[in-house]
Structures are given as C-alpha cells and as structure tokens.
Amino acid sequence: MTIKSTINADLTHFNTLGLPVIAPRLIEVFSVDDLFKLSRENFFEKEKPFILGGGSNILFRKALTRPVLKISISGIRVQEEDDNHVWIESGAGENWHNLVSWAVDRHYGGIENLALIPGTVGAAPIQNIGAYGVELEQVFESLEYFDLQDYLVKSFESENCEFGYRDSIFKRKLKGKVIITTVTLRLQKKNHVPNISYQALKSYLDERNIINPSIRQVFGAVIAIRQSKLPDPAMIGNAGSFFKNPVINQSAFQLLKEKYPDMPAYPLDHGQVKIPAGWLIEKAGWKGRRVGNVGTYDNQALVIVNHGGATGDEVYRHAVRIQKSVRKNFGIGLEPEVNIVE
Ligand SMILES: Cc1cc2nc3c(=O)[nH]c(=O)nc-3n(C[C@H](O)[C@H](O)[C@H](O)COP(=O)(O)OP(=O)(O)OC[C@H]3O[C@@H](n4cnc5c(N)ncnc54)[C@H](O)[C@@H]3O)c2cc1C
C-alpha cells in the first residue's frame, strides 16, 4: 500500500473519546520504507507530525496545527522458537486485541490477561500496558524504532525501555522522538501457568469452579469482566482510565487511613502504597456525575466519558475539576494516564 494523505482530516473516528478535532493533514504509513520516503522529503523536520496509533490513550484538547501520522504497519510472524518459548514479531499498526486472540488461538501464553485493551501493538510499550495482574514488560523482548533525530532504524531490548507503572522511556526522554515500527514478545509455548492472582479474575473463575484455567478460559474471563465494567468506546466515547493510581508513602497512607478506614490500598516495594484513583474520585462525589456533555462513568469513576458533542477542552476541564477535588479532599495529586495533546 502507498502512503495515504487526507487534507483537513476529521479525527472523530481516530480517537476513542470521539472528539471532532480537525488536523491540517492526516498521513497514513504502511511500512518502514514509507518512513524513509517521508524523511527524504524532509517531512519530519518541516512538519513535526503527531504520531497516532489507535487513538485510545489521547485527549486532543483542540484543533491540531501539525499533521497527524497514523502508523499502520502490519504483519504478525513467529521470529524464533525453542522447546518452551516462541518469539512473536508484530507490526506496530496491528490491533493489540487481535494479536492477543492470535496468540490464544495458538495456545501461546503470556498476554491473555491483556485481552480487549484497545489500540495498536506499537503503542503498547509506550505506557507498558497492563491489566488483571499482567504488564507488557513481563513478555516484552525487544522493539524496533525509527529514530526521528537521525532517521535510522534502531532496536531496544527490555532493559533500555525503562518500563514502570504505565510508564517507559517513550513517555519521557524519547517522547515524540521515535516511531515504534515492530514489537517482539516472548510467549510461553508449553507448561504456561496463567496468572490469576488478580482478585476480580480469581473470583470470576472461582464462581464457575474453574480451578486450573486454560489460556482460553482466562482470555474469556478477562473479556467478560471488562465488558461488564468498562464502557465500549464504540457506544460511548472514552479513553479508559483517565488517571494513574497514585502512589504515596506509608506514613501519608496511615494518616489517611485514620480518617477513611475503608480506603483500599496495595502495598508496593520501598514502603510505598498504591491507592485506586477510582475510589478517590468516587469518594469525592464524581462517580456518574455529568457536567454539560462530559461526565464520569456510572460503573467506574476512573473513566471520563463524552456523552455526545463534547469538545476536547470540555473533557480537559472536567479532568482538572476532578484533580482539584481529589487534592482538596485527600491531599493527593492525580496524574493523567491519558496523553494530553495541546
Ligand atoms: C475502553 C478502554 C480501556 C482501556 N484499558 C486499558 C488497560 O486495561 N490497560 C492499559 O494499559 N491501557 C488501557 N487503555 C488505554 C489504551 O488502550 C492503551 O494505552 C493503548 O496502548 C493505546 O494504544 P493506541 O494505539 O490507541 O495509542 P494512541 O492513543 O494512538 O497513542 C498513545 C501515545 O502513544 C504514541 N504512539 C502511538 N503509536 C506510536 C508508535 N508506533 N510509535 C511511537 N509513538 C506512538 C502517541 O503519540 C501517544 O502519545 C484503555 C483505553 C480504553 C479506551
């Protein structure tokens, strides 16, 4: 396929919040050769494009003044295998959930807990996607990227990616400086022991008397739980969890716990404690609350929804209201998980 270009593109269907944002140009690339071609035309220097995957983790605050470059590099292949493992290389533009289904169909274990996360494979390392007790870094082997500083293709192993909780080097030092083109995962071919430590997943399986679930049973359970809890962006615009779960130190947590004995918390290393942001937002009175065209989802306070007709700035202002309210009530700052594009 050749590079596709649209002038004055409406991005409503290119962001899961469904915001009707216009970009001066939308360019879609299908291969690394397309990226080389654009660099020979000095496109990157001149235009400083915004890199887009599936648009499920971004908030466009207003109309864009620079072009949007959509990464649609496809292809899934087995790169290597040994007795126990298989290394899968996927193009950055592949749909993440399709890759998970592809692996489950072949009984390759390791990513079944990450079913139904929207977006592309190329964006998965950016925030080290995670769900139901598993994070991408646990199966991540390497990636290739197109360096926007010297226009060369390079590779990174896991240790270069500085993965953290919903975080990586690509959200910090390398933000906007690279285009991820392929991602390689190491999956389990034999004797895979699914991770069912996450309480909601464990309860779902226990209720059905599933003691030693197969990869497919875990995949099915995760899909069922997600469908019951999270809004489908095709029905109601949203970008998933809007904020990260804040991490505070043990002494700050003890003080809060005296005031709010039912406050849930997950202990981490180094005396740190993770608090569910959804609980803080709910307690601050925002669950299901609507202001104009924007609101907080009825079943999950962590998700900001577009009830129809919202602008990017309205969504942004709603997020700021929530942040201020949580800070006022609990003295805790909420950091957006969603990438805000100014
Ligand atoms: C309903 C819903 C549920 C969700 N659940 C989860 C969840 O359980 N766990 C979780 O971790 N996330 C979740 N998310 C967030 C989102 O799905 C992930 O962050 C996903 O990885 C984003 O992929 P994307 O292709 O849509 O990225 P985009 O939103 O298009 O982009 C995100 C960022 O990555 C950059 N980017 C995208 N592609 C590339 C590339 N190839 N090279 C370089 N930079 C790139 C963009 O510039 C942007 O800064 C959810 C979102 C929704 C809407």
Side-chain angles (χ1 to χ4, degrees):
M1 253 192 271
T2 50
I3 299 174
K4 241 167 110 179
S5 176
T6 313
I7 304 287
N8 290 329
D10 175 0
L11 301 181
T12 308
H13 299 295
F14 290 87
N15 73 100
T16 58
L17 271 161
L19 301 168
V21 170
I22 303 293
R25 216 169 137 205
L26 172 67
I27 296 150
E28 193 171 359
V29 288
F30 301 91
S31 66
V32 175
D33 281 347
D34 288 347
L35 297 175
F36 281 125
K37 185 167 185 287
L38 289 173
S39 72
R40 284 194 298 273
E41 293 165 5
N42 295 327
F43 168 74
F44 296 106
E45 269 143 276
K46 281 198 298 209
E47 311 267 8
K48 309 259 181 297
F50 175 76
I51 311 303
L52 182 69
S56 64
N57 200 22
I58 45 173
L59 162 57
F60 289 123
R61 251 190 100 176
K62 47 183 189 271
L64 284 122
T65 51
R66 53 188 173 140
V68 167
L69 185 69
K70 168 132 180 72
I71 310 303
S72 297
I73 300 170
S74 62
I76 301 175
R77 70 179 184 102
V78 173
Q79 195 184 57
E80 204 187 319
E81 51 190 310
D82 64 18
D83 286 349
N84 291 314
H85 297 105
V86 58
W87 283 261
I88 308 296
E89 185 192 77
S90 168
E94 288 288 344
N95 173 277
W96 172 261
H97 178 72
N98 287 351
L99 175 65
V100 177
S101 305
W102 184 96
V104 171
D105 286 346
R106 287 159 181 78
H107 310 288
Y108 298 154
I111 50 176
E112 57 280 1
N113 297 47
L114 304 179
L116 227 55
I117 297 182
T120 57
V121 172
I126 307 261
Q127 72 154 5
N128 181 25
I129 56 167
Y132 297 93
V134 171
E135 283 186 325
L136 181 82
E137 66 173 310
Q138 291 167 247
V139 292
F140 178 89
E141 180 73 19
S142 62
L143 58 75
E144 288 196 339
Y145 65 90
F146 183 78
D147 192 326
L148 290 171
Q149 293 171 102
D150 54 15
Y151 311 123
L152 295 173
V153 173
K154 300 177 183 173
S155 63
F156 258 2
E157 308 290 311
S158 187
E159 53 273 24
N160 308 116
C161 296
E162 299 178 10
F163 287 128
Y165 162 58
R166 299 296 177 276
D167 198 23
S168 75
I169 194 167
F170 308 107
K171 282 191 100 170
R172 299 184 182 278
K173 260 182 274 175
L174 294 183
K175 190 177 165 99
K177 295 190 174 138
V178 303
I179 296 174
I180 295 172
T181 55
T182 62
V183 175
T184 301
L185 306 179
R186 191 186 68 149
L187 302 181
Q188 193 86 20
K189 222 166 67 171
K190 270 203 312 211
N191 305 325
H192 177 61
V193 182
N195 179 341
I196 52 166
S197 58
Y198 196 88
Q199 194 50 51
L201 180 56
K202 196 173 171 332
S203 308
Y204 181 95
L205 294 164
D206 284 351
E207 280 159 23
R208 286 154 185 82
N209 291 321
I210 303 172
I211 312 297
N212 291 310
S214 64
I215 293 168
R216 184 165 292 286
Q217 281 172 319
V218 173
F219 173 73
V222 169
I223 291 176
I225 299 168
R226 290 185 72 101
Q227 283 174 336
S228 71
K229 283 194 180 163
L230 288 169
D232 177 356
M235 311 298 287
I236 181 161
N238 76 92
S241 303
F242 200 92
F243 301 102
K244 291 187 186 184
N245 292 318
V247 174
I248 61 174
N249 62 40
Q250 187 69 40
S251 49
F253 172 64
Q254 284 312 328
L255 287 175
L256 283 166
K257 188 84 179 161
E258 281 167 26
K259 207 165 158 198
Y260 306 99
D262 60 336
M263 180 183 256
Y266 303 99
L268 303 174
D269 294 340
H270 313 297
Q272 304 279 83
V273 178
K274 193 189 272 183
I275 314 286
W279 186 89
L280 297 169
I281 299 168
E282 185 176 342
K283 282 281 160 180
W286 288 96
K287 191 173 179 185
R289 196 157 141 197
R290 180 174 175 160
V291 181
N293 296 319
V294 183
T296 311
Y297 190 54
D298 296 338
N299 294 337
Q300 172 50 274
L302 196 46
V303 179
I304 295 181
V305 294
N306 172 4
H307 284 292
T311 63
D313 206 47
E314 256 183 292
V315 175
Y316 178 77
R317 280 186 275 119
H318 194 72
V320 171
R321 274 192 289 272
I322 291 174
Q323 281 173 314
K324 281 189 180 154
S325 169
V326 167
R327 185 176 287 284
K328 192 168 157 228
N329 281 279
F330 303 101
I332 294 178
L334 291 181
E335 189 190 334
E337 181 180 311
V338 171
N339 297 277
I340 295 166
V341 186
E342 298 289 342

